[in-house]
Amino acid sequence: MKGLKRVSKVAAEVERDTVSLGSLSSREGGDSEDDDANEEEEELELDTKQKHSLTIRVQKKILGKTFTKTLIGLIDEDTGVILNSVYQMVKEYTGQSDKAKKIIKYLISFLIKVGVFIRNGAFNEAEFLLFAEFKTKYRTTALTFISFYEVKYTFDKELLEGYFKSVFDLLRQLIKRHISPKSMERLEVVQDVMADGKLLEALFNGSEENGLGKHMAVICCRLKNLIDDEKI
């Protein structure tokens, strides 16, 4: 199944919405805001055979020409495959393709921003401690997610909802000093969908043939890869 991912003037949006990235961009000698604003909309094909290519293309669109090539690739292939599955999952659950595209765009933007902040030493000592706590909670959530999938009838909606909420709360604390209020609102939009108990129920209780459950095998497999590679 294919879906279309349209990112409309994302480079301009990210530069406008992010506090710290703006100063980093100027040091790198990036393009002007006018150049970003004149970029044409680009349709990105979520083809199951091109997931890695997709993440590279989206990152280039978000970062524009303001950062060095070493920053391209902040999102690895496994994460890209998970994002593709999440896109399909949200689109099928909500029946709204535009909403699914928006969620994925926001997710990729936050992943890239955190990566850039880390690589450029933007976090202070307290934030690095928060980042360590965030990684631990994220890993615990991923392991719990996988366990609930592999061991049938163990799914606990309230427990998983709580884990997701904790992950988003820690992320909010981690980046609040570096991003705009508008970006914080976007994080709320992502949380409202990703930590939706009804969506989680549909995932774990849905058919693996024609329901949302069909996405679980791919998501869990790729999460295992990230855990084994110590990326989460």
Side-chain angles (χ1 to χ4, degrees):
M1 181 181 294
K2 295 183 180 180
L4 291 177
K5 171 87 173 81
R6 176 169 295 182
V7 181
S8 305
K9 302 176 183 177
V10 181
E13 291 178 11
V14 173
E15 184 172 349
R16 181 178 64 250
D17 294 335
T18 306
V19 176
S20 296
L21 283 179
S23 60
L24 293 173
S25 300
S26 63
R27 289 202 298 272
E28 291 287 338
D31 294 345
S32 68
E33 290 184 3
D34 289 339
D35 289 337
D36 287 334
N38 290 330
E39 286 188 1
E40 296 181 353
E41 293 185 348
E42 178 180 1
E43 289 190 346
L44 299 173
E45 192 173 17
L46 289 170
D47 190 304
T48 55
K49 296 180 180 179
Q50 298 177 337
K51 298 181 184 76
H52 183 64
S53 173
L54 165 70
T55 60
I56 296 297
R57 290 164 65 193
V58 172
Q59 288 175 82
K60 286 181 178 178
K61 188 71 176 179
I62 290 176
L63 293 173
K65 299 178 182 178
T66 58
F67 295 99
T68 62
K69 291 182 179 179
T70 58
L71 290 177
I72 301 298
L74 286 170
I75 298 177
D76 56 65
E77 183 175 359
D78 288 313
T79 302
V81 173
I82 292 172
L83 288 170
N84 183 72
S85 295
V86 169
Y87 166 78
Q88 298 290 348
M89 177 186 75
V90 174
K91 184 179 73 170
E92 293 167 23
Y93 177 71
T94 64
Q96 300 178 45
S97 178
D98 288 344
K99 184 171 186 176
K101 294 171 187 175
K102 183 182 295 185
I103 293 299
I104 294 305
K105 186 183 79 172
Y106 292 169
L107 276 171
I108 291 176
S109 179
F110 284 119
L111 287 170
I112 289 177
K113 288 174 184 179
V114 171
V116 171
F117 294 150
I118 291 172
R119 293 195 184 196
N120 286 275
F123 291 148
N124 58 30
E125 184 176 351
E127 288 166 340
F128 266 113
L129 292 175
L130 268 175
F131 181 62
E133 187 177 354
F134 166 78
K135 286 181 64 179
T136 298
K137 180 60 69 173
Y138 182 37
R139 181 183 177 87
T140 298
T141 302
L143 288 168
T144 303
F145 190 94
I146 294 168
S147 176
F148 284 166
Y149 170 69
E150 293 183 337
V151 184
K152 300 301 181 184
Y153 310 114
T154 59
F155 170 61
D156 185 326
K157 184 184 75 170
E158 292 184 0
L159 178 63
L160 199 55
E161 273 185 305
Y163 279 168
F164 270 108
K165 182 180 184 300
S166 295
V167 168
F168 279 102
D169 285 346
L170 288 168
L171 179 59
R172 191 175 294 106
Q173 293 177 56
L174 178 65
I175 62 179
K176 65 182 180 181
R177 190 171 66 90
H178 304 277
I179 64 175
S180 70
K182 183 66 176 179
S183 286
M184 292 295 282
E185 291 175 7
R186 289 173 175 170
L187 186 57
E188 295 288 345
V189 170
V190 175
Q191 179 176 349
D192 287 344
V193 173
M194 302 304 296
D196 181 352
K198 292 182 179 179
L199 171 59
L200 293 174
E201 281 186 320
L203 265 178
F204 283 92
N205 298 329
S207 168
E208 293 192 28
E209 294 182 0
N210 52 22
L212 289 184
K214 65 179 179 288
H215 301 295
M216 291 293 289
V218 172
I219 292 174
C220 289
C221 176
R222 296 297 180 151
L223 280 175
K224 282 184 175 181
N225 288 347
L226 291 173
I227 292 170
D228 290 343
D229 293 340
E230 297 185 349
K231 293 180 179 178
I232 60 174

